[in-house]
Amino acid sequence: MSNKNNVTEAYKGWLTYKKITGANWLNENNKWLRTIVVKDHSEVMKSAKNELVNAICEMTDEEPTLANAVESSYQILLTTSKDNNVESLDELNEDGYVIQTIHSNDRSYISLTGKTDKGVLYASFHFLRLIQTRTNLDNLNIKENPANQYRMINQWDNMDGSIERGYAGESIFFENNKFTTNLERIKDYARLLSSVGINAISINNVNVHAVETKLITDEFLPDVAKVAEIFRNYAIKTFLSINYASPMQLGDLKTADPLNEDVRQWWKEKAKDVYRVIPDFGGFVVKADSEHRPGPFTYDRNHADGSNMLAEALEPFGGVVIWRCFVYNCMQDWRDRKTDRARAAYDHFKPLDGQFHDNVILQIKNGPMDFQVREANSPLFGALTETNQILEFQVTQEYTGQQRHLCYLIPQWKEILEFDTFAKGQGTPIKRIVDGSTFENKLSGIAAVSNIGNDNNWTGHQLAQANLYGYGRLIWNPDLSTEEITGEWVRATFGNDPEVVEQITTMLHDSWPIYENYTSPLGVGWMVNPNHHYGPNVDGYEYSVWGTYHFADWQGIGVDRTVKSGTGYTAQYFKENADMYESLDSCPDELLLFFHHVPYTHKLKSGVTVIQHIYNTHFEGVEQAIGLNERWSKLKGKIDEERYDNVANRLEVQIENAKQWRDIINTYFFRKSGINDEKNRTIY
């Protein structure tokens, strides 16, 4: 990588391109890596060519020569044309590609062919991944189309340099209320994102403060344009989060009412200003009417009114509005057990289905609460049949250890994407709703909150890079298995030593259940310190002393979300899932306390009582965290010191934090329930 920082393997991530030392593979395949033929010369194609040249040079110690045509055997061809013997090019979408080893009568070559130059770029990264994982190149026949149209990263960066929910240092985009001058690092970030197929980014926090509000003004648009150019060269479109009250804060209007003609005209003029500077600008990301953010509710308007007004301003330029559905009244009194934050998104947006313009996309969090280690899936998926929608994940580990703990999230996301909504009967998983195929949406996809900062290794915890890599690969192809994604990342990042691959793969696969074991049990959620969300606080609640999310008393624990006796939340699902969650007998144990308030003596399907499950898992979680450290210690000397020490130090922190969770959670519920641990372990 070309960054002026300390360009170590930690910084390079999965684009390490380590020198190939295995003679057998190199002897069989090096013949393919000596010449690169480039037929098109767009900026994106130049990015593909440069990546191939630099990577092959690093891996083989030989720089490939460049040519304009295939004139001999054993060359790599980069092209978007149809005249190179590649079949099925018409079956590709705009980002799709074919990688083929072509053996014709007079020559053999490897073709990296895309429908567009973007496809060639993605093919180039895929080809390099094949080399990193030591795939034989003699008979390649790969065709790829991304499943999702929008494959997006949301930065929660602030212009003072801080990052909301950032656990890996400061922003790589902003410092001291200005744009950074280190554009090389942004380029390296673009490379990382493009290598896993991400094609859209919003560069600032959805909670837009006073300075960030001015990003759409002449003061900062030239800087936005410089960043957009970097991302454009790697096939990534740039978006901005905007302040809904901008007409008042930037203009001289006294209202932001979306039905006011002056407001509507203000946004139309503002859109012209933005597109004049950035002609391929993606559009606006909007958080409105939630957690004290301004929005159309102020004027007795709804979310369709608010988003459609912005959509009309962007429509002439091909821009879109991404409107977040994380909307709830954060000042509700949670002592009322009929009040339920989980209901909010569905209650707000389901009645508006079909009222949004074609260039509005609703962005829906994967669960109805807030990226918990375990929660139900949002019932909005499948309920909105006439509205464009994007699923939102959180790569940054806000509630899953904040990148001080190892928590690999790909298995969780796989479960979410595979969840059957029954929206069109059995066989309607979330992954087929958000890719637009179920309801034939015009716009669709998946977005996630980024986990990177300016730490040398990007993600704070070296192994947290796996979440960013895995996110990109999974949203490109949700049918990939966790094992495939994990194997790719480990081998590309740490090499092909069998013990290294085995130990890190096992650590990653085990880490989410381990984190869940010593933190919040059976889907009840939260139990973290307010505001910063790190560490155990059983009664922790964000906004006031109005209550908790678990409703534990001396008799039992859990949130009653049933129709029969609770908040009625279960009715938001289609019948098959509603019935499953409504009944204690059929509700999955891992979500029991999300949907039901039960006695501590209630027996789980395992035969263990709820209280004993709490005790057991919290003791087990500590032992499992110690086990992670023991696995990592076996790799000392096999991994460079910087990366080894980073993970070792954080695993020690994880062990100590796991002990705190164990002691605080178990003590709380022992004192609350008065029930002893059956195994007579020490509970303070």
Side-chain angles (χ1 to χ4, degrees):
M1 290 189 176
S2 54
N3 196 277
K4 295 178 182 179
N5 288 2
N6 186 21
V7 184
T8 62
E9 290 184 345
Y11 180 85
K12 293 177 181 179
W14 58 87
L15 302 183
T16 300
Y17 303 137
K18 296 179 72 171
K19 183 178 178 180
I20 299 170
T21 56
N24 290 339
W25 187 92
L26 202 57
N27 289 339
E28 293 178 8
N29 294 277
N30 196 39
K31 61 182 181 285
W32 297 108
L33 307 179
R34 294 183 176 130
T35 305
I36 298 174
V37 178
V38 185
K39 283 200 170 184
D40 307 280
H41 299 281
S42 69
E43 291 301 319
V44 171
M45 195 70 86
K46 288 179 185 177
S47 297
K49 176 202 69 177
N50 291 339
E51 197 72 27
L52 286 170
V53 169
N54 293 334
I56 291 172
C57 186
E58 287 187 45
M59 290 190 282
T60 68
D61 276 342
E62 296 180 23
E63 183 171 341
T65 58
L66 298 176
N68 295 319
V70 177
E71 296 176 343
S72 62
S73 286
Y74 307 123
Q75 297 179 321
I76 304 169
L77 170 66
L78 278 62
T79 183
T80 58
S81 69
K82 298 183 180 181
D83 60 356
N84 60 333
N85 299 321
V86 171
E87 299 177 356
S88 306
L89 199 58
D90 290 338
E91 297 176 14
L92 299 180
N93 64 28
E94 290 300 297
D95 291 344
Y97 57 84
V98 174
I99 301 176
Q100 274 187 338
T101 308
I102 295 175
H103 300 283
S104 63
N105 293 331
D106 57 343
R107 62 180 64 93
S108 297
Y109 59 96
I110 294 174
S111 172
L112 310 184
T113 305
K115 189 74 166 287
T116 66
D117 55 2
K118 294 182 290 184
V120 177
L121 178 64
Y122 298 136
S124 299
F125 281 116
H126 190 151
F127 181 70
L128 291 172
R129 194 159 57 239
L130 296 175
I131 300 173
Q132 288 174 304
T133 53
R134 303 299 184 263
T135 303
N136 189 283
L137 308 178
D138 285 343
N139 293 289
L140 300 176
N141 188 14
I142 299 167
K143 183 173 71 175
E144 291 270 340
N145 277 316
N148 291 293
Q149 179 183 9
Y150 280 93
R151 305 178 301 278
M152 189 173 193
I153 280 288
N154 293 167
Q155 301 293 141
W156 281 5
D157 295 38
N158 302 311
M159 289 191 69
D160 64 3
S162 65
I163 304 173
E164 185 170 341
R165 311 312 179 198
Y167 312 112
E170 298 292 291
S171 172
I172 70 167
F173 296 96
F174 309 114
E175 54 188 18
N176 300 321
N177 293 325
K178 296 179 181 179
F179 274 76
T180 182
T181 58
N182 187 357
L183 299 183
E184 284 297 315
R185 177 142 195 175
I186 295 176
K187 178 182 176 181
D188 286 337
Y189 186 41
R191 293 174 57 227
L192 288 168
L193 296 182
S194 185
S195 73
V196 290
I198 289 169
N199 67 351
I201 185 170
S202 57
I203 64 173
N204 65 302
N205 191 358
V206 293
N207 293 312
V208 184
H209 307 110
V211 179
E212 294 85 23
T213 298
K214 295 189 286 186
L215 283 171
I216 56 174
T217 68
D218 291 341
E219 181 178 355
F220 290 115
L221 276 174
D223 294 310
V224 178
K226 291 178 184 177
V227 172
E229 181 180 10
I230 294 170
F231 283 118
R232 181 185 305 116
N233 293 344
Y234 286 90
I236 300 169
K237 186 160 286 195
T238 300
F239 289 70
L240 290 173
S241 297
I242 57 106
N243 182 345
Y244 193 83
S246 292
M248 301 169 67
Q249 296 197 12
L250 298 178
D252 56 1
L253 300 182
K254 296 182 179 180
T255 180
D257 183 350
L259 300 190
N260 180 283
E261 284 303 318
D262 290 337
V263 172
R264 300 170 79 88
Q265 188 59 37
W266 189 92
W267 279 111
K268 289 176 181 177
E269 293 301 319
K270 183 53 62 180
K272 289 180 184 177
D273 293 341
V274 174
Y275 281 91
R276 190 179 301 117
V277 179
I278 312 168
D280 64 341
F281 180 70
F284 297 144
V285 178
V286 188
K287 177 178 178 179
D289 288 316
S290 189
E291 297 181 327
H292 310 295
R293 301 308 303 161
F297 283 2
T298 301
Y299 310 100
D300 199 26
R301 315 299 187 194
N302 62 37
H303 293 286
D305 295 328
S307 59
N308 288 344
M309 178 264 295
L310 293 171
E312 289 175 6
L314 295 174
E315 192 275 334
F317 310 98
V320 302
V321 176
I322 299 176
W323 190 273
R324 298 179 82 244
C325 294
F326 186 57
V327 175
Y328 72 102
N329 180 359
C330 62
M331 300 307 293
Q332 292 177 107
D333 189 341
W334 298 96
R335 292 172 297 186
D336 179 359
R337 296 196 181 196
K338 296 294 184 181
T339 299
D340 190 358
R341 170 172 166 175
R343 293 183 55 103
Y346 186 102
D347 287 345
H348 281 303
F349 288 94
K350 171 59 177 172
L352 300 176
D353 189 24
Q355 297 182 34
F356 296 92
H357 285 193
D358 285 347
N359 60 328
V360 173
I361 314 172
L362 298 186
Q363 183 164 304
I364 307 165
K365 287 189 177 183
N366 63 267
M369 300 300 279
D370 196 11
F371 304 125
Q372 298 302 294
V373 68
R374 179 82 66 172
E375 63 179 290
N377 297 310
S378 173
L380 268 180
F381 296 116
L384 299 175
T385 63
E386 301 178 71
T387 303
N388 299 321
Q389 56 203 275
I390 283 178
L391 165 65
E392 181 182 358
F393 286 134
Q394 190 179 53
V395 184
T396 193
Q397 295 172 227
E398 179 178 357
Y399 294 101
T400 51
Q402 299 190 358
Q403 285 145 239
R404 284 176 269 188
H405 297 215
L406 177 61
C407 189
Y408 187 46
L409 297 172
I410 309 308
Q412 181 193 63
W413 299 335
K414 282 287 292 183
E415 285 188 14
I416 292 164
L417 291 169
E418 297 293 340
F419 178 78
D420 197 341
T421 65
F422 292 91
K424 281 193 170 182
Q426 188 172 5
T428 317
I430 288 177
K431 67 182 179 182
R432 299 296 175 236
I433 291 171
V434 298
D435 70 10
S437 61
T438 297
F439 300 116
E440 298 182 352
N441 300 112
K442 178 182 177 183
L443 304 172
S444 58
I446 300 178
V449 185
S450 171
N451 67 338
I452 70 104
N454 68 357
D455 281 2
N456 190 56
N457 67 8
W458 297 92
T459 56
H461 196 308
Q462 184 71 42
L463 299 187
Q465 287 183 2
N467 284 328
L468 180 59
Y469 177 91
Y471 165 72
R473 294 291 288 129
L474 185 63
I475 67 173
W476 177 280
N477 181 4
D479 294 331
L480 286 172
S481 68
T482 299
E483 290 73 21
E484 288 175 290
I485 293 170
T486 311
E488 287 178 1
W489 179 79
V490 174
R491 294 171 73 186
T493 305
F494 291 100
N496 292 276
D497 182 302
E499 185 176 13
V500 173
V501 172
E502 178 186 357
Q503 296 297 349
I504 297 178
T505 297
T506 302
M507 291 172 66
L508 290 171
H509 285 176
D510 291 348
S511 60
W512 175 40
I514 291 172
Y515 186 84
E516 184 176 19
N517 275 347
Y518 62 75
T519 54
S520 182
L522 302 171
V524 72
W526 309 98
M527 295 187 179
V528 292
N529 283 303
N531 299 317
H532 61 76
H533 300 160
Y534 185 78
N537 185 329
V538 186
D539 288 327
Y541 176 64
E542 192 71 73
Y543 289 101
S544 73
V545 295
W546 282 343
T548 67
Y549 282 110
H550 56 73
F551 292 116
D553 54 27
W554 67 274
Q555 292 178 309
I557 180 177
V559 183
D560 185 352
R561 291 191 161 100
T562 66
V563 172
K564 180 179 179 181
S565 56
T567 69
Y569 169 78
T570 58
Q572 293 186 342
Y573 292 91
F574 289 91
K575 186 180 188 309
E576 293 84 350
N577 289 324
D579 291 347
M580 174 180 66
Y581 292 138
E582 181 78 10
S583 167
L584 265 176
D585 293 334
S586 57
C587 183
D589 280 345
E590 64 267 22
L591 288 172
L592 177 70
L593 303 184
F594 187 92
F595 285 103
H596 296 275
H597 187 87
V598 298
Y600 293 108
T601 54
H602 173 84
K603 284 196 173 182
L604 302 174
K605 294 174 178 62
S606 64
V608 176
T609 64
V610 167
I611 188 64
Q612 194 59 42
H613 174 87
I614 292 173
Y615 296 153
N616 289 348
T617 54
H618 284 79
F619 279 108
E620 290 168 5
V622 172
E623 297 307 311
Q624 291 168 322
I626 293 171
L628 290 174
N629 198 30
E630 291 172 348
R631 283 191 178 277
W632 186 253
S633 67
K634 295 177 181 179
L635 304 182
K636 189 172 180 63
K638 288 179 172 286
I639 294 172
D640 60 279
E641 187 175 351
E642 179 187 1
R643 293 191 293 180
Y644 180 84
D645 289 347
N646 170 268
V647 175
N649 292 337
R650 291 185 184 241
L651 289 173
E652 291 289 349
V653 171
Q654 183 169 354
I655 291 168
E656 293 307 307
N657 288 167
K659 291 176 181 177
Q660 294 171 5
W661 277 94
R662 175 197 64 194
D663 294 342
I664 290 174
I665 298 294
N666 283 346
T667 298
Y668 179 98
F669 286 106
F670 169 68
R671 293 176 178 176
K672 186 75 76 171
S673 68
I675 300 173
N676 289 319
D677 172 30
E678 294 174 359
K679 299 183 180 181
N680 296 316
R681 291 165 293 198
T682 300
I683 297 177
Y684 297 98

